[in-house]
Amino acid sequence: MKAIIIGGGIGGLCTAIALKRIGIDAEVFEAVKQIKPVGAAISIWPNGVKCLNYLGMKEPLRQLGGPMQYMAYQEYLHGQTLTRFSLDPLVASVGERPYPVARAELQAMLLATYGDHRVQFGKRVSGVEETPDGVSAWFEDGSQAQGDFLIAADGTHSVIRPYVLGHQVERRYAGYVNWNGLVTIDETIAPANQWTTFVGEGKRVSLMPVSGNRFYFFFDVPLPIGLPEDRTTARADLQRYFSGWAEPVQKLIAAIDPTATNRIEIHDIEPFERLVRGRVALLGDAGHSTTPDIGQGGCAAMEDAVVLAIALQTNSLGVEDALLRYQEKRSYRVRDLVLKARKRCDVTHGKEMAVTHDWYEELKTETGDRILSGMKETILGGPLA
């Protein structure tokens, strides 16, 4: 049996690795000539970590992950701690640690595990067609590939999604802009073993430790879409948006490298139930594009890959049947993640400022129990709980 995988990002490579482990050959086609991961880093929560463990990357992942042992929220004007608590109770209850990792290093680990020589770059898909016993993909360079089934892991701008759904879908602007990057750890800004978030005015500034003595940082600001801002204006933009914020925030802005700082207008897509048409299945952002507000976008793609492989391995009624079983197991789960992230996004970013201010007040009495309970529920909804 042979699979065609469109997309060489997190979802596509996890799928290729998962299929390889159950004896299914896969060809991976990536549109760009060289992958440059979108975003500087990613938080891999225990449900995603368990998927990577299952796929044989337990030890390499631990080399990349930062020592995130605590979580804290800080008041924006003076940097006073609103709440701080250990993540150990979460780890004990779900059976694994979270690992923030640099995206480029995660991508390199996945390529090394699968074999980067096995990925064909510069292959932008232009169309797909099914036959009674297979599927063909055509590429813009005039070449084509044939397989028994096709996995569309071609991201939020998926070319194949309209074929599966029968119509186009529009991305929805979530209402805020995210700047992110990597910076050397400075404990006068935040502790090296803590996920630290400064909150106020519907904005946030967050730092997570990754390997190599670095913080992954991000700034969120509710803004209109399409402003003429880019890396050339990043420091001045951030100084303006965070004027008057606490000294650690000002030090972080001074420390960033604007030329390596990403600016992303955050979108999601309204959830849809259909992930499969015949021998073609959507996976990752192609099937459930979400905001990053609960850190589950990449983890959901990892889950998809594992569930897909298990469906193909454990069912014997044919490829189309197995893909429908994958859809059945994933549709509700990914819808839930997209809507949870959207709800969290609205609270965090001041869609209704009265609600956001209530959240700030709640943080002052937060012991960690409520936050960790929500995380636990999300994590244990994964396939390897």
Side-chain angles (χ1 to χ4, degrees):
M1 188 180 293
K2 178 184 171 185
I4 299 170
I5 299 175
I6 306 298
I10 293 172
L13 288 175
C14 283
T15 301
I17 294 164
L19 295 180
K20 181 181 176 183
R21 286 173 64 84
I22 63 169
I24 295 179
D25 184 37
E27 282 190 288
V28 180
F29 299 92
E30 169 55 45
V32 300
K33 294 182 179 179
Q34 181 182 4
I35 292 180
K36 296 180 180 179
V38 177
I42 179 175
S43 51
I44 307 179
W45 291 96
N47 52 310
V49 173
K50 289 184 181 185
C51 290
L52 294 179
N53 292 348
Y54 178 82
L55 295 177
M57 289 169 275
K58 181 183 287 188
E59 293 310 316
L61 176 60
R62 276 147 187 75
Q63 298 302 311
L64 302 183
M68 193 168 73
Q69 298 169 341
Y70 294 89
M71 183 173 175
Y73 283 95
Q74 314 288 134
E75 180 269 337
Y76 76 109
L77 283 175
H78 306 290
Q80 295 173 337
T81 300
L82 298 172
T83 183
R84 181 178 186 267
F85 48 89
S86 171
L87 292 174
D88 285 347
L90 176 70
V91 175
S93 63
V94 303
E96 188 49 275
R97 290 196 164 277
Y99 288 96
V101 301
R103 275 189 181 263
E105 294 170 6
L106 173 62
Q107 187 77 25
M109 180 186 75
L110 295 173
L111 280 168
T113 301
Y114 182 62
D116 55 4
H117 63 284
R118 304 181 68 189
V119 179
Q120 298 187 47
F121 292 95
K123 292 285 188 178
R124 189 172 298 277
V125 70
S126 57
V128 297
E129 182 180 41
E130 291 184 75
T131 65
D133 29 77
V135 61
S136 296
W138 281 269
F139 301 93
E140 290 184 357
D141 64 4
S143 63
Q144 71 177 87
Q146 295 179 318
D148 295 286
F149 62 99
L150 183 146
I151 303 302
D154 55 339
T156 188
H157 299 287
S158 174
V159 173
I160 300 169
R161 182 168 54 224
Y163 171 81
V164 173
L165 298 182
H167 59 85
Q168 296 279 357
V169 296
E170 297 296 325
R171 298 203 310 157
R172 182 196 72 103
Y173 181 49
Y176 75 95
V177 174
N178 170 281
W179 288 259
N180 66 77
L182 298 170
V183 67
T184 300
I185 284 178
D186 178 348
E187 293 214 65
T188 67
I189 297 175
N193 63 348
Q194 178 174 289
W195 177 14
T196 303
T197 303
F198 296 83
V199 293
E201 303 178 327
K203 308 170 189 176
R204 62 177 178 167
V205 180
S206 206
L207 303 103
M208 288 181 167
V210 300
S211 66
N213 193 42
R214 296 167 297 172
F215 279 135
Y216 164 51
F217 69 81
F218 60 86
F219 298 82
D220 288 350
V221 183
L223 288 170
I225 194 169
L227 294 178
E229 299 174 350
D230 57 23
R231 289 177 175 177
T232 64
T233 63
R235 196 188 313 275
D237 293 337
L238 292 172
Q239 287 172 338
R240 183 171 69 257
Y241 294 134
F242 293 94
S243 175
W245 280 49
E247 182 60 22
V249 174
Q250 306 308 321
K251 292 185 73 170
L252 175 60
I253 295 172
I256 69 169
D257 176 3
T259 65
T261 297
N262 306 294
R263 182 189 186 277
I264 304 171
E265 294 176 333
I266 300 299
H267 291 73
D268 66 10
I269 292 175
E270 195 67 32
F272 47 83
E273 293 185 7
R274 186 170 190 175
L275 299 176
V276 170
R277 174 179 172 181
R279 293 171 176 265
V280 178
L282 302 176
L283 186 143
D285 283 351
H288 42 83
S289 186
T290 181
T291 70
D293 292 86
I294 60 171
Q296 285 292 329
C299 294
M302 297 168 192
E303 290 184 4
D304 288 349
V306 169
V307 172
L308 175 71
I310 290 173
L312 289 162
Q313 183 181 37
T314 58
N315 294 284
S316 61
L317 301 182
V319 169
E320 294 184 25
D321 174 80
L323 294 182
L324 287 174
R325 295 179 191 278
Y326 155 77
Q327 174 180 269
E328 182 182 12
K329 289 185 180 296
R330 295 306 293 161
S331 285
Y332 176 80
R333 167 67 169 169
V334 296
R335 176 184 179 86
D336 182 56
L337 293 177
V338 170
L339 295 180
K340 277 183 177 177
R342 184 180 294 180
K343 182 178 180 180
R344 173 50 44 192
C345 165
D346 290 347
V347 171
T348 302
H349 298 102
K351 184 176 182 180
E352 296 179 34
M353 280 306 300
V355 174
T356 302
H357 282 301
D358 286 346
W359 175 55
Y360 295 158
E361 289 300 312
E362 288 173 5
L363 289 175
K364 296 177 182 179
T365 60
E366 175 64 65
T367 62
D369 290 347
R370 286 178 296 185
I371 291 174
L372 295 182
S373 176
M375 290 180 171
K376 177 180 177 181
E377 178 185 349
T378 296
I379 290 164
L380 293 181
L384 300 177

